[in-house]
Amino acid sequence: MTITTDSAFKVAKGPAGRAMAEPMQVELVEALHQHLTMERNASVQYFAISLWFAERELRGFSKFFNDEAQNEQEHASKFSEYLIARGQSVVLEDLKSPIQSWQDIEEIFSASFLMEADVTTSLHQLYATAERDSDYRTTVFLDPVVEGQTSSEDEFAYLLGRVKFAQNQPSALLIIDSELNG
Ligand SMILES: [Fe+2]
């Protein structure tokens, strides 16, 4: 009788030792890490903006940006959970110091809109990389994220338009502020 130690059921393991159904290309893992950092930077930036408004008695704007900061943190969590689900280790990179001084409210919304557009571009690049690698688990994961990101851009475009229209007039800005406080 021969005792064999070679099992037919060999499970591949990722860097953290978790079972891994399909290995990921290094380039895709790095791109996911970079995107995760982008979401965390966005969260810190929105939190800083929320404080800027809180210091100026604009509680509606402050609440809006505090909610956005939390949304970005949730996105960061989603990407982390996805990396772990794929058997990868999560690398938390250094974050940027947020901008805390602004010329006016329009500048804040312009910068925020551009930041959202950058996040969308990063998602599209991730998608293209995943498709190139035929990594369909990642494209399926990204589908609802890309959809949500397009809605975010739309929301920021709307608010930027409203703030531009207000032309820095306090009475008009206070109306937007109460809307956002609802
Ligand atoms: Fe996000």
Side-chain angles (χ1 to χ4, degrees), residues 116-170:
E116 291 293 328
D118 280 350
V119 170
T120 308
T121 305
S122 167
L123 285 175
H124 291 164
Q125 282 166 355
L126 269 179
Y127 207 100
T129 307
E131 276 194 325
R132 205 166 49 237
D133 294 347
S134 304
D135 193 319
Y136 299 116
R137 287 178 178 80
T138 300
T139 54
V140 169
F141 164 73
L142 288 173
D143 277 329
V145 183
V146 173
E147 203 182 335
Q149 186 55 32
T150 308
S151 310
S152 277
E153 275 183 353
D154 181 38
E155 178 72 2
F156 274 95
Y158 167 74
L159 287 170
L160 173 59
R162 302 268 289 161
V163 165
K164 266 190 177 178
F165 194 73
Q167 291 187 322
N168 266 328
Q169 290 170 44

Side-chain angles (χ1 to χ4, degrees), residues 39 42 71-72 75 116 119 149:
E39 300 281 2
N71 287 342
E72 302 306 347
H75 299 161
E116 291 293 328
V119 170
Q149 186 55 32

Side-chain angles (χ1 to χ4, degrees), residues 16-130:
R18 285 191 94 225
M20 192 171 57
E22 186 193 19
M24 287 177 98
Q25 298 291 319
V26 175
E27 155 194 58
L28 181 58
V29 175
E30 280 173 2
L32 283 163
H33 276 125
Q34 278 164 18
H35 188 84
L36 169 61
T37 304
M38 214 172 190
E39 300 281 2
R40 292 171 66 226
N41 274 323
S43 178
V44 172
Q45 184 57 70
Y46 286 153
F47 179 59
I49 294 174
S50 164
L51 299 180
W52 189 92
F53 281 113
E55 285 171 358
R56 286 160 182 82
E57 325 303 355
L58 292 164
R59 289 187 178 166
F61 282 105
S62 181
K63 178 180 173 289
F64 172 80
F65 277 100
N66 195 39
D67 290 347
E68 286 301 313
Q70 283 172 30
N71 287 342
E72 302 306 347
Q73 182 52 49
E74 272 170 30
H75 299 161
S77 297
K78 261 192 177 174
F79 276 86
S80 311
E81 283 160 13
Y82 179 68
L83 281 161
I84 291 170
R86 291 294 307 274
Q88 302 298 320
S89 287
V90 178
V91 177
L92 297 178
E93 299 168 340
D94 286 350
L95 298 184
K96 281 194 277 188
S97 294
I99 302 170
Q100 287 197 279
S101 87
W102 301 97
Q103 210 176 301
D104 55 25
I105 297 179
E106 188 181 327
E107 190 184 42
I108 290 177
F109 277 91
S110 299
S112 302
F113 179 74
L114 292 174
M115 199 162 71
E116 291 293 328
D118 280 350
V119 170
T120 308
T121 305
S122 167
L123 285 175
H124 291 164
Q125 282 166 355
L126 269 179
Y127 207 100
T129 307

